Amino acid sequence: MLFSSPAWDSVVYWALDLETGGLDAKRDPIIAVGMLPDSVRAHQLVWGEVKDAPPVAEVLPEVDRRLAEGVLLVHHKAIDVAFLKDAYRRCGLKWPSPTVVDTVDLLVRLARKAHLSRPELPADPPALNLSAAREAHGLPPYQAHDALTDALATAELFLVLRHALGARTLRDLR
């Protein structure tokens, strides 16, 4: 095979979730970073919660180290990757352009696959909200909007979607 791809389970996935102060990566701050299997916290909402937390500039080198080790796994790359890229730029770091697997993309692909196998049924759009997607796939609910919990929720959803899609290689997931 000319362009081989590693088996899906032979790479390290770093599930990441960002909590942000809005949806504009150029204007709004990153307030929390959650990564699995470890987490780093950089929260700026309530002084009592963040007085000992490192600023984003101190967290990014650790994020960068982890991204060099494997694949970035996120739920809705359009948001998380945009915020990460902007944070890297503001901190004078080069964006590493990691391989990204997005559970939103996988949800859309799974919905297309289901419609192709049953074209007589309506092609309803999949639930893309993390909590709704987890519920639709039989996963237990978690409290939303905690970066580490959402990273865990994304990782679990990823495993279900990978199985449902029958992905065998990393390329099958991109």
Side-chain angles (χ1 to χ4, degrees), residues 132-163:
R134 287 178 56 81
E135 182 179 343
H137 291 277
L139 291 167
Y142 288 133
Q143 182 174 340
H145 305 300
D146 173 82
L148 185 55
T149 303
D150 286 351
L152 174 62
T154 298
E156 291 176 348
L157 179 60
F158 163 73
L159 292 174
V160 169
L161 296 173
R162 196 267 344 143
H163 179 74

Side-chain angles (χ1 to χ4, degrees), residues 1 10 15 20 22 40 43 47 53 55 59 61 70 77 80 110 121 130 172:
M1 175 180 257
S10 68
T20 63
V40 180
H43 202 294
W47 175 248
V59 172
K77 69 183 172 198
D80 287 331
L110 187 59
L121 296 178
L130 181 57
D172 296 338

Side-chain angles (χ1 to χ4, degrees), residues 26-93:
K26 300 279 187 229
R27 185 184 70 219
D28 300 318
I30 294 173
I31 55 176
V33 177
M35 281 186 100
L36 292 172
D38 297 313
S39 70
V40 180
R41 189 167 175 172
H43 202 294
Q44 301 168 354
L45 283 180
V46 180
W47 175 248
E49 292 180 352
V50 300
K51 64 183 179 180
D52 298 323
V56 171
E58 290 179 26
V59 172
L60 284 181
E62 182 63 20
V63 171
D64 195 60
R65 181 188 69 77
R66 293 171 186 198
L67 292 181
E69 295 176 356
V71 173
L72 177 59
L73 173 63
V74 296
H75 185 80
H76 207 292
K77 69 183 172 198
I79 294 174
D80 287 331
V81 172
F83 271 89
L84 277 178
K85 281 183 175 180
D86 191 67
Y88 268 72
R89 181 191 55 75
R90 284 185 286 105
C91 293
L93 297 172

Side-chain angles (χ1 to χ4, degrees), residues 105-115 126 137 160-161 164-165:
D105 291 345
L106 299 179
L107 287 163
V108 170
R109 286 177 43 204
L110 187 59
R112 282 190 199 128
K113 181 180 176 181
H115 182 65
H137 291 277
V160 169
L161 296 173
L165 287 165

